[in-house]
């Protein structure tokens, strides 16, 4: 039970941190276009896109991964 509670708390903290990053990036105008992209596209953009898009892609990657995992559960 303690393990499950710790794991749930860690996921909640990670999700909260990811939401904070997303809010900051959406405020950063062009990042709003990247929010719905899948992780593979963001990885490619992180490698190939010019600044600041490559930085935005890197910061959104954890969100995209968590979102993909959550969508696969439903």
């Amino acid at each position: 039970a303690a393990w499950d509670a710790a794991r749930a708390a860690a996921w909640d903290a990670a999700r909260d941190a990811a939401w904070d990053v997303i809010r900051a990036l959406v405020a950063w105008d062009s990042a709003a276009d990247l929010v719905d992209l899948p992780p593979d596209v963001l990885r490619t953009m992180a490698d190939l896109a010019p600044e600041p898009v490559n930085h935005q892609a890197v910061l959104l990657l954890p969100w995209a991964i968590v979102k993909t995992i959550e969508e696969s559960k439903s």
Side-chain angles (χ1 to χ4, degrees):
W3 170 255
D4 290 338
R7 194 169 109 197
W11 270 108
D12 288 343
R15 223 176 271 122
D16 290 344
W19 273 113
D20 290 343
V21 169
I22 292 202
R23 287 183 193 103
L25 288 173
V26 167
W28 190 7
D29 189 31
S30 62
D33 297 334
L34 306 179
V35 171
D36 291 327
L37 295 176
D40 293 341
V41 174
L42 289 174
R43 284 186 191 103
T44 301
M45 292 181 81
D47 291 338
L48 303 176
E51 290 184 12
V53 175
N54 61 339
H55 298 295
Q56 295 165 340
V58 168
L59 291 172
L60 277 172
L61 189 55
W63 158 250
I65 293 168
V66 170
K67 185 176 79 167
T68 301
I69 291 169
E70 291 298 318
E71 288 173 351
S72 71
K73 291 181 181 178
S74 5

